[in-house]
């Protein structure tokens, strides 16, 4: 499905000050929000940033994140590998920022995170490689990352 979204986008350089790049990015954002609408509701997320995949989102998050954070045993190790930070936990600590992948990195399964009560950074890198399934967001979700490179049809 994501590939189909990108088929209509032609790579083109625009002159500065024309507003064309912003219009194209706004169109891409609208199409992507429409595509993920059945998976996750983004109504509370007014900002959208385009990065070079979830790895780039992780890099940027790690540069600016000063809080202690946790991740579940079996989850993606890259954020910890590049920072040396992050506490591996077997169960979620309620007052510590949580980095979590959904579908879950270790299994590829969707996990129920709706009742998680700590701040959440949600990595949805593999959402395009799975059948569509609704994810109920925790109330304190701060960021959600998606990837154009996973999945196909």
């Amino acid at each position: 499905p994501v590939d189909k979204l990108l088929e209509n986008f032609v790579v083109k350089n625009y002159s500065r000050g024309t507003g064309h790049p912003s219009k194209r990015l706004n169109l891409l954002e609208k199409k992507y929000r429409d595509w993920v609408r059945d998976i996750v509701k983004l109504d509370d997320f007014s900002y959208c940033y385009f990065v070079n995949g979830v790895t780039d989102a992780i890099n940027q998050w790690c540069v600016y994140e000063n809080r202690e954070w946790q991740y579940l045993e079996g989850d993606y190790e890259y954020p910890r590998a590049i920072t040396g930070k992050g506490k591996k936990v077997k169960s979620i600590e309620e007052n510590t920022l949580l980095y979590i992948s959904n579908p879950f990195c270790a299994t590829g399964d969707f996990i129920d995170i709706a009742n998680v009560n700590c701040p959440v950074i949600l990595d949805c890198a593999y959402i395009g490689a799975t059948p569509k399934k609704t994810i109920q967001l925790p109330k304190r979700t701060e960021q959600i990352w998606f990837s154009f490179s996973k999945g196909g049809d």
Side-chain angles (χ1 to χ4, degrees):
V2 174
D3 290 348
K4 300 243 186 281
L5 289 175
L6 296 176
E7 285 176 3
N8 296 324
F9 287 89
V10 178
V11 175
K12 182 173 180 172
N13 293 320
Y14 294 102
S15 300
R16 288 185 126 184
T18 63
H20 291 296
S22 295
K23 289 177 190 171
R24 299 295 288 179
L25 285 173
N26 290 340
L27 178 60
L28 178 60
E29 177 184 349
K30 181 185 180 324
K31 286 182 177 277
Y32 200 76
R33 283 180 183 266
D34 287 347
W35 182 78
V36 300
R37 165 180 67 225
D38 296 335
I39 301 166
V40 64
K41 301 291 183 217
L42 297 177
D43 299 341
D44 293 334
F45 295 87
S46 54
Y47 297 102
C48 176
Y49 300 96
F50 292 98
V51 293
N52 293 315
V54 170
T55 300
D56 191 30
I58 291 170
N59 291 339
Q60 292 186 39
W61 171 64
C62 288
V63 166
Y64 295 105
E65 186 56 66
N66 295 319
R67 296 172 289 178
E68 258 186 54
W69 56 274
Q70 63 184 315
Y71 65 102
L72 289 173
E73 198 171 277
D75 211 339
Y76 193 40
E77 293 273 348
Y78 180 68
R80 180 169 173 74
I82 63 170
T83 63
K85 298 177 183 175
K87 179 180 177 184
K88 186 185 298 188
V89 296
K90 290 184 185 220
S91 59
I92 297 168
E93 298 175 1
E94 192 163 316
N95 292 315
T96 304
L97 174 65
L98 173 66
Y99 162 84
I100 191 164
S101 61
N102 202 10
F104 194 61
C105 176
T107 62
D109 294 334
F110 283 91
I111 52 176
D112 182 6
I113 57 172
N115 294 320
V116 169
N117 196 29
C118 60
V120 173
I121 302 296
L122 181 57
D123 177 345
C124 292
Y126 287 97
I127 209 82
T130 63
K132 281 190 177 183
K133 182 174 178 174
T134 302
I135 297 173
Q136 298 298 323
L137 295 178
K139 290 179 184 173
R140 297 177 66 191
T141 303
E142 295 181 359
Q143 297 181 33
I144 307 172
W145 307 327
F146 300 96
S147 176
F148 284 124
S149 66
K150 311 294 186 294
D153 311 332

